[in-house]
Amino acid sequence: MVFAPEQAESSPQRTIYSVSKLNLAVRRLLEGHFGQVWLVGELSNFSAPASGHWYFTLKDSKAQVRCAMFRGANQRVMTQVGNGKQVMVRAKIGLYEPRGDYQLIVEHMEDAGAGLLQQQFEQLKAKLQSEGLFDPASKKALPTDIRRIGVVTSASGAALHDVLSVLKRRDASVEVIVYPSQVQGSQAAENLISALNTANRRNEVDVILLTRGGGSLEDLSCFNDETLARVVFTSKLPVISAVGHEVDFAITDFVADLRAPTPSAAAELLSQDRSHLRAQQQHLSQRLWRAWQHALHRVQHRQALLQQRLTPLHPAQQLQQQGQRQDELQRRLQQSVNALLHHCNQQQHHLQARLSQIKPDAHLERARQQHQRAEQQLQRAMLQVLKQAQQRTAANAHSLQLVSPLQTLSRGYSITQTDTGEVIKNAGQVEPGAVITTRLGQGELKSKVLD
């Protein structure tokens, strides 16, 4: 039996790498796919050679990874570092080509505790923002005439004292209903949610002020609760969030219908001062604050984009350039903020100058004189009307006297009446023995009928 020779199978084209090219390709793949990542772990094998760079291992109970942090980045670390330190880092995944070692290029490092809270804060903020809870279109407008304010805070805290002091100074007629709640601790978020629900259920206030004094990120963590944020967003009553100091931000600040930098500032916003210029100044301050926030967020967003575009070939050089770029942006931001502050200060001085030119005493004096003149004219008019009425009364009395029966009696006539008061016009109206009364011009006579 003879078999025909089979045709040789065509071999696929081979891609042949050198070791260096393979490591380069893998490094680019890792850096391009993952971008920046956040990790929490314990420092070990820490070393800081004369070059100023840091080399260490980041590990947990099950795994570890080698890390490098170059001098330009580690100079900005604000915490003490060393073996056994729990830290949180922001890094890029890469590959050290000469040894083929997978490693992390660390760009930022901080304490694990505060770092985790900040990371959770940023993650929840991004989540709620993507769901539209920060959308300005969903914000409820504050009432124009606020007469009753519901305050959700600690009944013994300084924030309540500050709010009451400002309201007493600006408008003591505004009523305040306190819905007491814990503002710190494990049960604080649940207490705040219960207080907000109570205020909405009772529906007895015009607006709700959610507030507390300043504190650390951990102290304010209850105001970063997701459930609380959703309750604030769905509140039927307008909600103002005033948590901490001006530099503090909480998730409720972004979800609420309005954010105030401090409890006192919130009370200023919710009360009307007698001077419209002060309200205008407050409005300008809010515009400045929002403009500063917008500029800061814009710079931070641009910084994040620039960091993602760092070339994987020269990380140290690109990090230095990025640091210079960041300094430039911060300088320009500071200049913009200073310019805005200068402009607002000029407007404030101008408004104060206009206010000083207004002299309410002169207006009050003119109004008082006009009131006195009007009062004198009213008195003269009342006397004239009274005199005319007296004259008319005298004339009417004279006319009445002319037709009065008493006038007829004074001329010698008389009127005779029965004991029932009936006027006797004929003799048949009485019987013998009846008593009759005769009225004369002066006095009366009692008579008894004989016949």
Side-chain angles (χ1 to χ4, degrees), residues 179-195:
Y179 302 94
S181 170
Q182 295 183 21
V183 294
Q184 184 174 338
S186 59
Q187 301 298 321
E190 183 178 350
N191 280 190
L192 292 170
I193 292 171
S194 177

Side-chain angles (χ1 to χ4, degrees), residues 52-112:
H53 305 318
W54 291 351
Y55 301 97
F56 52 90
T57 300
L58 195 64
K59 67 178 183 178
D60 57 20
S61 60
K62 297 181 179 179
Q64 63 182 11
V65 61
R66 291 185 177 182
C67 304
M69 191 172 190
F70 298 109
R71 181 175 57 187
N74 63 40
Q75 288 177 346
R76 295 190 293 269
V77 175
M78 305 300 295
T79 185
Q80 295 292 331
V81 295
N83 292 328
K85 177 77 172 181
Q86 287 287 335
V87 296
M88 184 173 74
V89 300
R90 185 186 71 237
K92 294 189 306 181
I93 300 177
L95 187 77
Y96 185 57
E97 298 176 38
R99 289 198 305 266
D101 289 341
Y102 150 68
Q103 66 177 3
L104 299 180
I105 305 299
V106 178
E107 300 174 348
H108 173 77
M109 179 184 296
E110 59 189 43
D111 285 335

Side-chain angles (χ1 to χ4, degrees), residues 359-376:
K359 298 180 179 179
D361 294 340
H363 294 287
L364 291 175
E365 180 63 24
R366 287 197 295 271
R368 186 183 63 80
Q369 293 176 358
Q370 291 177 356
H371 175 71
Q372 290 180 348
R373 289 195 295 269
E375 185 176 5
Q376 293 173 357

Side-chain angles (χ1 to χ4, degrees), residues 178-449:
V178 179
Y179 302 94
S181 170
Q182 295 183 21
V183 294
Q184 184 174 338
S186 59
Q187 301 298 321
E190 183 178 350
N191 280 190
L192 292 170
I193 292 171
S194 177
L196 284 172
N197 289 332
T198 299
N200 276 276
R201 184 177 66 255
R202 293 182 180 178
N203 195 25
E204 57 191 353
V205 296
D206 300 317
V207 66
I208 299 175
L209 173 57
L210 180 64
T211 185
R212 68 149 284 164
S216 65
L217 183 60
E218 184 177 1
D219 294 337
L220 305 179
S221 60
C222 60
F223 292 88
N224 297 325
D225 183 79
E226 180 176 358
T227 304
L228 175 61
R230 298 188 184 277
V231 171
V232 171
F233 180 75
T234 57
S235 172
K236 297 179 181 179
L237 297 170
V239 178
I240 291 184
S241 177
V243 179
H245 302 301
E246 293 188 12
V247 296
D248 297 325
F249 279 89
I251 292 297
T252 55
D253 292 337
F254 299 100
V255 181
D257 300 299
L258 183 64
R259 186 255 178 185
T262 63
S264 298
E268 295 273 353
L269 291 173
L270 293 175
S271 58
Q272 294 183 357
D273 198 1
R274 296 179 181 179
S275 172
H276 69 282
L277 295 178
R278 186 175 299 176
Q280 186 176 1
Q281 179 183 359
Q282 183 68 26
H283 174 67
L284 292 174
S285 298
Q286 289 292 326
R287 289 181 57 190
L288 174 61
W289 180 255
R290 288 193 296 268
W292 183 85
Q293 283 185 309
H294 178 71
L296 180 61
H297 292 165
R298 183 176 57 191
V299 170
Q300 290 176 340
H301 179 67
R302 180 170 177 80
Q303 177 185 351
L305 291 178
L306 292 173
Q307 288 178 346
Q308 292 179 359
R309 294 170 56 187
L310 286 173
T311 175
L313 300 177
H314 300 89
Q317 180 180 0
Q318 293 298 323
L319 284 173
Q320 292 175 356
Q321 294 177 357
Q322 182 61 30
Q324 293 178 354
R325 179 61 176 168
Q326 180 181 357
D327 293 339
E328 175 65 19
L329 291 175
Q330 289 178 347
R331 183 185 62 81
R332 289 169 57 187
L333 175 60
Q334 186 64 41
Q335 290 178 348
S336 299
V337 172
N338 292 338
L340 286 173
L341 286 173
H342 180 69
H343 177 68
C344 288
N345 287 333
Q346 288 182 338
Q347 286 190 339
Q348 178 182 359
H349 293 327
H350 175 67
L351 293 175
Q352 288 177 345
R354 288 178 56 191
L355 179 62
S356 64
Q357 294 175 358
I358 298 175
K359 298 180 179 179
D361 294 340
H363 294 287
L364 291 175
E365 180 63 24
R366 287 197 295 271
R368 186 183 63 80
Q369 293 176 358
Q370 291 177 356
H371 175 71
Q372 290 180 348
R373 289 195 295 269
E375 185 176 5
Q376 293 173 357
Q377 292 176 358
L378 178 60
Q379 290 179 351
R380 289 195 295 269
M382 291 175 60
L383 292 175
Q384 183 67 23
V385 171
L386 181 60
K387 183 177 181 181
Q388 292 176 356
Q390 290 175 343
Q391 291 176 352
R392 287 195 300 270
T393 303
N396 292 334
H398 178 69
S399 299
L400 182 61
Q401 187 177 9
L402 292 177
V403 297
S404 173
L406 298 177
Q407 187 69 18
T408 303
L409 295 177
S410 65
R411 294 197 298 270
Y413 294 92
S414 65
I415 299 175
T416 303
Q417 297 173 311
T418 65
D419 55 356
T420 61
E422 182 182 0
V423 177
I424 302 173
K425 297 180 180 179
N426 58 74
Q429 292 181 249
V430 296
E431 297 291 337
V435 177
I436 61 175
T437 302
T438 303
R439 185 174 181 180
L440 307 174
Q442 298 292 329
E444 294 179 345
L445 296 176
K446 295 281 187 180
S447 306
K448 186 175 184 181
V449 179

Side-chain angles (χ1 to χ4, degrees), residues 113-182:
L116 281 176
L117 288 177
Q118 185 65 34
Q119 183 183 15
Q120 293 170 357
F121 174 86
E122 296 296 339
Q123 290 175 348
L124 179 58
K125 178 182 174 183
K127 176 183 177 181
L128 297 181
Q129 185 173 16
S130 65
E131 295 180 12
L133 270 66
F134 301 169
D135 189 0
S138 64
K139 306 295 184 184
K140 293 180 285 294
L142 298 183
T144 56
D145 185 20
I146 298 176
R147 307 312 306 163
R148 184 177 291 176
I149 301 172
V151 181
V152 177
T153 189
S154 171
S156 60
L160 179 59
H161 178 269
D162 294 343
V163 170
L164 295 178
S165 298
V166 172
L167 293 178
K168 182 179 180 181
R169 172 174 54 84
R170 289 174 57 85
D171 190 354
S173 65
V174 175
E175 298 182 39
V176 175
I177 296 180
V178 179
Y179 302 94
S181 170
Q182 295 183 21

